[in-house]
Amino acid sequence: MSANPPAFSPIPRNELRLQQMNQLYAQSRLPQWLLLATAALITPLAWAQSSRDSLLLWIALLGLLALMRQALVRRYWLASTQDRLQRRWSRYFHLGNLASGLCLSWVHIGLTPLDNFPLQALMYSIAGGVSICVGVLYAPRYAAFASFMLPAWLPPVVYLLLDDAPSSLIWAQTGGLMFCFILLAAALIHRTMRNALITNLRNEALLGNLSHAHQRAEELNHQLTREISQRRQAEQSLRDSHDDLEERVRQRTAALEKATYDLQASEAQLTLAMEASQLGLWDWDLSTDKVYHSRLNALFGMPDEYVPSMRQDLRPLVHPADVTTVRRTLVRHMKNQSQAYRMEYRVRHSSGQWLWVEDSGRAVERASDGRVLRMIGTRRDISARKHQDEQAQLASTVFEATSEGIFILSPTLDVLAVNQAYSVITGRAREDAVGRNILDISGSDDLRQQFLHLQHMLKTQDRWQGELTARRRNGEPFPIWLQLAVVRNAGGQQTHYVGFFADLTTHRQTEEQLQYLTNYDPLTQLANRSLFTERMQDAIASARQHNQTVALLHIDLDRFKHINVTLGHAVADGLLQEVARRLSAGVDSQHTLARLSADEFVVIVERADDNQRLADLAGRLLESLRQPMLIAEHELVTTASIGISVFPSTARDSLLLLTQANQAMQHAKHLGGNRLQFYTRELRAYSLDRLQLENQLRKAIDEGQLVVHFQPKLHLASDRISSAEALVRWQHPDRGLVMPGDFITIAEETGLIVALGQKVLDIACEQAATWCHQGPQSVAVSVNLSVQQLRQEGFAERVRQTLQRHNLPARLLELELTESMLAEHSDQVADNIAALQALGVSLSVDDFGTGYSSLAYLKRFPINTLKIDRAFVAELDGANADNAIVLAIIAMAHSLSLKVVAEGVEHEGQLNFLKANGCDEVQGYLISKPIEAAAFTQLLEQNTSQLLDQDS
Ligand code: C2E
Ligand code: CA
Ligand code: CA
């Protein structure tokens, strides 16, 4: 494109010359033909005028020239472009023109007669005209023009000028003039032709340029087309790849959407699964100690959105018993000794409940040194499962431990499981039963039939129970009580039969035993109260019918309670069995001997007409019981009291008969025991009296009818009244002053003794405080206690309050206990005694020597004083009295650092003996009877002044 030629560049000379030459040659044949045509015209004209030879020569010459020109032109057109620019082509051409011009000028000179004007003019015109035409044809090339025109024109002009004929001059002049015009015309033509040629060339060049430009344009067009198509291709491929990309994006998006959907679905499933499994997820960041935890509320009762701290919030909730296991498991995992861990422990829910949780987790991030940075895991409440496990455990324990045989059957009666009791009862081992059909192991055709029948029945009902005869493995038949239950699944189909059976062999035995137990006393094998009542009613009924008498002997052991308390139940039971044996031996078999309660026995004597015989019987029984008995290495002597009542003489019915016998027995006891007593009318009055007394005593305590008398104790070494014993009396509104012997027992039996004892304690302390604070001198007061008081919880505390209330120092109070109280193996009694000692209160043992005297309790308990029973002191009276016991007691007491007080000192002799043998204090009528407080105060004053007198 840069080679685009300028529109008007100068035409190269060679190009112009070549074009001019081509033009010249292209028109070069026509002049020859014109000359031949001239010859053809001239010849006839000149034929007659001129020599024929010269004419023919001229014609021949013209013909030759024409042929030569023909050949030249042919050769020129065959020559190459380069060759055509050779000078020879114009030279040959000019030579031909010269010859032709000359030939034409010959017409004027040689052929035209100068004297024949018309011919001359005609011939001149023809020749002149032809030369003008040829001149015009050669005008574009000056050399060709000149090479023809000059020879054709100049010779005739010169010839005519030189001719003398007048017309010749004119012709010469005309010819000269014409030549000038021809020159002018030639110049114009030349210029025009030249310009045309140049224009033509220019146009050609332009055309060339144009075609070049066109070609170029075409090329560009091509290129453009190519580029466009390339671009189109590029565009297409771009579009394709864009489409492809879009498609892939679409696919990818779809895949992503699916993945997201799947993820959401699996997330939803996970959430559902977690919900269903009740899993709490936790994520513990150990660097911050924060725990991100789901289901916090369910597991710990914390708000779900709370982020607890492991150390502060969660760890303290672990059950103390599980803390060690939890820590050990965690440490093991943190030390990388386990891949993951799973453990079960209890945590405290905010509601205060302990929940069992299952905790699994593992470390997911560790520092380079192995330290755990983050842990994740799950925690779930398994309390229900634990509970189920426990239940299952319980069920299986019950299954195994129950004494009933249990077997579980499939619907086709195959044995699926049996318990231990099944094996024990049937003698068939578990392995021998499980897997076999119950019909095959039932052992008898009869039982097989029954099972088949039952199976049929259980199609319509879910339970059956009844008695069957089964067979043990050894073939022995035995009765069972079988309960069959059907187990159904949710669809109501029978899945199992469960059978429970009890071996009725033992049941029967038990029934017999029970039957026996309902009528007999298992300890003594005697008839019990129920059989007694039955026999008694029968006996009364029969006696009524036959007008006979029935006697009832009510036997009660004396002081049995003491044996029970001191020697224990085993010895007491042994004693009761021995008593039962002796009674059985003494009672005729036709009489009924029964045991009613602990130590109460009764004998029903039918047809008891003779009181003396009854008395003999009772006497014999008492005698047999009195004999010492050896029970568990203890030699025991026991006595009994027997009350006798007789139907119909005193009692009208069986109930009354029993009551009267009981009252008679009580009376015998009251009289000291070891005796028999018939029920009499007086006894009835007495017992009514007792009932009355009991009611009155109740009132007496509340209404302040109780008074306390004080009996002094004389300190022998100083001869001073050092202390006093408080003894209760009842100031009865009708009966006057009632002594304790008449109401203490009732108070004991009714429990009133506790209130009574507290009253006496209160009065005694008040009085002691008065003496202590108002004189004449301090006196220690001793108060008698009942065992029932000591058995009371908080008794010592009440004593402390009483002392405090009256502002009495504890050392001025002494409490008197009996040996049986100390012998009682009761924690409460021991606690009270210890607490009393701690208070600083003194303790003494009353009536020492009458009970089951044992050194052991003297050592065990914090006793300060022994009071020798009145009975031993009374012994000191006799002439040949045995003083050994009193001496022994004094010696023993002193060896244990105990003070000794002798009770019931009535005579000087006793006093002297005691004084002589180191007894510390004496109490008794010799010193003073128990007296009112005011009298005691006087006594004190006397004693004090006596002492002062002695001193002075
Ligand atoms: P005890 O504890 O052995 O009291 C001594 C008893 O002997 C008193 O009889 C007293 O009057 C009597 N006595 C004192 N010196 C002589 C004497 O020289 N010769 C004779 N023959 N007797 C003498 P009392 O007052 O009739 O008391 C009888 C029993 O009643 C007491 O025997 C005691 O066991 C009980 N008793 C009295 N007061 C209470 C009390 O407040 N609470 C309790 N639980 N029992 C009490
Ligand atoms: Ca006493
Ligand atoms: Ca006493």
Side-chain angles (χ1 to χ4, degrees):
M1 280 206 178
S2 53
N4 228 348
F8 294 103
S9 58
I11 303 294
R13 272 185 63 87
N14 282 350
E15 183 64 20
L16 187 61
R17 223 172 85 85
L18 182 66
Q19 289 303 322
Q20 286 172 333
M21 285 297 288
N22 286 350
Q23 208 172 29
L24 207 59
Y25 270 92
Q27 297 172 357
S28 62
R29 285 200 193 97
L30 188 57
Q32 298 305 324
W33 296 121
L34 282 173
L35 288 175
L36 284 176
T38 305
L41 285 173
I42 294 297
T43 305
L45 290 171
W47 184 259
Q49 307 296 322
S50 52
S51 99
R52 300 236 178 111
D53 289 338
S54 62
L55 191 57
L56 285 173
L57 184 68
W58 180 69
I59 292 170
L61 207 61
L62 276 177
L64 182 69
L65 282 172
L67 286 171
M68 283 174 68
R69 174 58 59 103
Q70 199 66 33
L72 181 68
V73 170
R74 211 178 57 241
R75 294 202 25 202
Y76 177 82
W77 290 121
L78 289 172
S80 68
T81 314
Q82 205 54 41
D83 193 27
R84 288 180 195 173
L85 288 171
Q86 298 285 329
R87 285 273 160 208
R88 64 187 158 99
W89 296 107
S90 51
R91 231 179 283 143
Y92 292 145
F93 196 89
H94 294 150
L95 278 174
N97 278 6
L98 187 66
S100 302
L102 289 173
C103 282
L104 196 58
S105 66
W106 187 253
V107 171
H108 293 90
I109 300 168
L111 297 175
T112 309
L114 293 175
D115 51 353
N116 186 346
F117 183 72
L119 190 59
Q120 193 184 10
L122 186 61
M123 286 192 46
Y124 278 4
S125 298
I126 293 171
V130 169
S131 70
I132 289 169
C133 284
V134 173
V136 168
L137 285 172
Y138 289 144
R141 263 320 265 176
Y142 282 128
F145 180 82
S147 63
F148 178 77
M149 287 306 273
L150 287 175
W153 277 91
L154 282 177
V157 170
V158 173
Y159 167 74
L160 286 168
L161 273 173
L162 294 171
D163 189 67
D164 319 334
S167 62
S168 293
L169 184 63
I170 297 171
W171 288 110
Q173 287 172 333
T174 306
L177 206 63
M178 283 280 288
F179 185 71
C180 288
F181 283 115
I182 288 169
L183 270 181
L184 184 66
L188 286 172
I189 288 171
H190 178 84
R191 213 182 68 194
T192 306
M193 290 299 282
R194 193 169 183 275
N195 282 347
L197 198 63
I198 289 172
T199 307
N200 200 24
L201 277 173
R202 283 228 172 96
N203 282 346
E204 267 178 17
L206 205 62
L207 270 175
N209 279 345
L210 269 175
S211 92
H212 181 79
H214 177 72
Q215 197 182 336
R216 186 91 196 116
E218 293 247 288
E219 268 175 32
L220 281 174
N221 214 3
H222 260 342
Q223 203 175 341
L224 200 65
T225 314
R226 219 169 37 241
E227 275 176 13
I228 284 172
S229 97
Q230 276 175 1
R231 186 171 301 164
R232 282 223 178 100
Q233 272 176 12
E235 253 175 22
Q236 186 58 41
S237 72
L238 203 67
R239 201 170 292 130
D240 286 352
S241 64
H242 178 258
D243 286 352
D244 186 39
L245 202 69
E246 256 185 0
E247 174 62 18
R248 277 164 57 189
V249 165
R250 208 181 49 71
Q251 284 175 359
R252 191 93 187 96
T253 312
L256 259 172
E257 266 171 10
K258 188 174 167 350
T260 312
Y261 175 79
D262 288 352
L263 194 71
Q264 275 171 353
S266 67
E267 222 174 65
Q269 276 173 353
L270 187 69
T271 315
L272 275 178
M274 303 249 298
E275 276 300 321
S277 64
Q278 316 232 304
L279 272 180
L281 277 181
W282 55 260
D283 183 338
W284 177 20
D285 183 342
L286 279 84
S287 57
T288 60
D289 198 41
K290 286 287 168 201
V291 184
Y292 298 88
H293 206 311
S294 67
R295 296 182 57 75
L296 263 184
N297 188 29
L299 287 164
F300 298 102
M302 300 176 183
D304 277 336
E305 60 283 351
Y306 183 62
V307 180
S309 147
M310 178 61 86
R311 208 163 296 136
Q312 281 167 12
D313 298 321
L314 298 185
R315 194 174 296 166
L317 299 181
V318 176
H319 194 286
D322 298 335
V323 165
T324 320
T325 330
V326 170
R327 186 181 301 130
R328 199 175 298 144
T329 311
L330 268 180
V331 166
R332 225 172 75 80
H333 182 68
M334 284 179 166
K335 283 185 176 167
N336 226 342
Q337 292 167 348
S338 61
Q339 288 280 313
Y341 72 84
R342 170 192 289 259
M343 55 185 164
E344 293 175 1
Y345 54 87
R346 284 156 288 179
V347 295
R348 204 181 56 240
H349 191 269
S350 65
S351 65
Q353 244 184 320
W354 288 105
L355 298 186
W356 271 102
V357 296
E358 181 193 72
D359 183 0
S360 350
R362 64 190 181 87
V364 292
E365 216 178 302
R366 286 178 187 272
S368 52
D369 59 0
R371 203 160 33 83
V372 176
L373 298 176
R374 185 172 166 218
M375 294 184 68
I376 60 173
T378 58
R379 197 171 272 125
R380 142 171 102 102
D381 180 0
I382 54 164
S383 311
R385 199 202 76 203
K386 278 279 180 191
H387 182 67
Q388 272 171 10
D389 287 354
E390 277 167 18
Q391 293 290 312
Q393 181 68 34
L394 205 65
S396 90
T397 311
V398 170
F399 180 75
E400 277 308 332
T402 184
S403 58
E404 290 203 331
I406 304 177
F407 57 87
I408 300 173
L409 305 180
S410 73
T412 55
L413 301 185
D414 289 323
V415 179
L416 300 177
V418 297
N419 70 346
Q420 206 169 355
Y422 172 94
S423 302
V424 171
I425 296 171
T426 62
R428 194 176 287 281
R430 191 188 303 261
E431 307 77 57
D432 192 18
V434 172
R436 297 180 62 186
N437 198 283
I438 193 85
L439 300 177
D440 297 340
I441 53 176
S442 49
S444 75
D445 280 346
D446 192 31
L447 195 59
R448 250 193 298 281
Q449 287 307 319
Q450 273 171 322
F451 263 119
L452 286 171
H453 175 64
L454 285 177
Q455 189 186 22
H456 186 72
M457 255 178 34
L458 289 175
K459 287 203 165 87
T460 51
Q461 64 192 64
D462 274 357
R463 257 170 203 292
W464 179 88
Q465 58 178 349
E467 197 178 324
L468 294 179
T469 303
R471 268 173 205 280
R472 297 192 213 277
R473 195 165 192 273
N474 57 16
E476 176 201 338
F478 67 107
I480 57 168
W481 182 259
L482 176 65
Q483 287 177 281
L484 273 176
V486 176
V487 181
R488 292 179 189 275
N489 63 14
Q493 287 149 331
Q494 298 190 346
T495 57
H496 299 91
Y497 298 114
V498 181
F500 304 85
F501 64 96
D503 185 348
L504 291 185
T505 324
T506 41
H507 184 71
R508 288 274 152 76
Q509 286 165 359
T510 316
E511 243 174 22
E512 280 162 20
Q513 253 172 15
L514 268 176
Q515 181 63 30
Y516 181 83
L517 281 177
T518 51
N519 285 321
Y520 290 91
D521 165 36
L523 180 70
T524 60
Q525 319 301 325
L526 298 181
N528 64 7
R529 188 183 282 273
S530 97
L531 185 59
F532 158 75
T533 313
E534 209 175 287
R535 296 257 174 98
M536 173 89 156
Q537 278 162 358
D538 290 352
I540 297 284
S542 146
R544 271 207 186 101
Q545 208 176 0
H546 303 108
N547 219 359
Q548 292 169 338
T549 52
V550 177
L552 186 67
L553 277 65
H554 196 148
I555 307 162
D556 193 282
L557 302 182
D558 299 330
R559 295 154 77 86
F560 173 74
K561 253 187 210 154
H562 297 278
I563 295 175
N564 214 350
V565 165
T566 46
L567 300 178
H569 291 289
V571 173
D573 283 354
L575 176 94
L576 288 173
Q577 284 169 329
E578 181 56 27
V579 167
R581 254 193 301 281
R582 292 185 182 188
L583 292 177
S584 307
V587 173
D588 276 358
S589 58
Q590 75 251 33
H591 305 323
T592 299
L593 172 62
R595 179 172 172 235
L596 295 191
S597 69
D599 60 339
E600 269 183 287
F601 298 84
V602 280
V603 183
I604 304 171
V605 181
E606 293 181 67
R607 289 184 292 278
D609 307 319
D610 189 351
N611 273 5
Q612 188 51 53
R613 282 175 62 188
L614 283 173
D616 291 347
L617 172 63
R620 278 199 308 279
L621 294 178
L622 287 174
E623 178 57 30
S624 76
L625 292 180
R626 252 198 307 273
Q627 301 309 311
M629 35 184 115
L630 190 71
I631 313 261
E633 296 167 7
H634 294 274
E635 198 189 56
L636 300 174
V637 176
T638 182
T639 57
S641 303
I642 301 182
I644 306 169
S645 60
V646 183
F647 171 91
S649 58
T650 51
R652 296 269 166 207
D653 60 34
S654 61
L655 191 68
L656 209 55
L657 190 66
L658 183 61
T659 314
Q660 290 177 354
N662 186 288
Q663 281 173 4
M665 182 274 290
Q666 292 287 347
H667 191 71
K669 255 195 203 307
H670 198 71
L671 297 175
N674 191 22
R675 66 182 72 212
L676 65 93
Q677 171 73 49
F678 277 89
Y679 182 77
T680 58
R681 305 244 171 243
E682 298 76 51
L683 218 61
R684 181 158 167 265
Y686 169 80
S687 59
L688 279 177
D689 194 38
R690 258 175 71 91
L691 201 69
Q692 223 176 9
L693 270 183
E694 183 186 322
N695 289 329
Q696 290 171 347
L697 181 59
R698 213 176 285 276
K699 260 169 70 186
I701 299 169
D702 295 336
E703 293 178 359
Q705 294 175 12
L706 296 182
V707 292
V708 174
H709 285 185
F710 295 90
Q711 187 176 34
K713 283 182 259 177
L714 186 70
H715 187 247
L716 290 177
S718 61
D719 207 23
R720 285 170 58 118
I721 295 174
S722 55
S723 54
E725 177 173 6
L727 293 159
V728 69
R729 274 96 183 90
W730 178 3
Q731 191 62 62
H732 194 280
D734 306 327
R735 305 186 187 198
L737 199 66
V738 183
M739 298 306 278
D742 293 333
F743 62 89
I744 287 292
T745 317
I746 297 177
E748 290 264 9
E749 283 168 7
T750 53
L752 288 169
I753 192 71
V754 176
L756 183 147
Q758 181 58 43
K759 198 92 190 171
V760 174
L761 180 73
D762 209 45
I763 297 169
C765 286
E766 187 182 16
Q767 187 55 55
T770 307
W771 287 322
C772 173
H773 301 301
Q774 295 171 14
Q777 65 164 90
S778 286
V779 178
V781 178
S782 49
V783 175
N784 294 284
L785 286 189
S786 154
V787 70
Q788 292 189 44
Q789 284 175 281
L790 270 182
R791 285 184 193 139
Q792 299 275 315
E793 191 181 341
F795 171 71
E797 171 59 21
R798 273 195 291 282
V799 172
R800 192 191 63 75
Q801 288 168 358
T802 310
L803 290 172
Q804 194 180 36
R805 192 162 56 245
H806 298 296
N807 192 19
L808 180 69
R811 66 178 163 82
L812 292 180
L813 178 64
E814 186 176 59
L815 296 176
E816 297 192 3
L817 318 172
T818 60
E819 290 173 275
S820 62
M821 292 186 197
L822 297 173
E824 184 162 319
H825 295 279
S826 147
D827 288 345
Q828 191 56 63
V829 170
D831 288 351
N832 274 327
I833 288 175
L836 288 171
Q837 194 219 6
L839 277 179
V841 172
S842 315
L843 299 175
S844 62
V845 179
D846 204 357
D847 306 337
F848 188 78
T850 58
Y852 306 90
S853 310
S854 157
L855 278 179
Y857 67 73
L858 290 181
K859 281 187 185 161
R860 197 164 68 238
F861 291 109
I863 305 298
N864 308 88
T865 309
L866 288 187
K867 292 182 81 173
I868 305 174
D869 191 63
R870 208 168 61 226
F872 300 112
V873 175
E875 291 282 306
L876 297 174
D877 270 345
N880 48 2
D882 183 3
N883 307 324
I885 294 178
V886 175
L887 292 175
I889 293 174
I890 295 172
M892 185 194 70
H894 284 168
S895 76
L896 290 169
S897 310
L898 300 175
K899 191 169 78 180
V900 185
V901 179
E903 283 185 307
V905 177
E906 295 179 354
H907 308 293
E908 286 286 345
Q910 295 165 334
L911 177 65
N912 293 334
F913 178 86
L914 292 164
K915 210 173 191 171
N917 288 289
C919 182
D920 300 290
E921 289 177 11
V922 290
Q923 177 185 352
Y925 292 168
L926 180 65
I927 318 301
S928 163
K929 286 199 169 185
I931 46 175
E932 288 180 24
F936 197 97
T937 310
Q938 276 183 1
L939 186 69
L940 278 180
E941 281 164 351
Q942 276 174 23
N943 182 243
T944 318
S945 58
Q946 267 174 22
L947 288 170
L948 284 173
D949 290 350
Q950 282 171 16
D951 287 350
S952 61

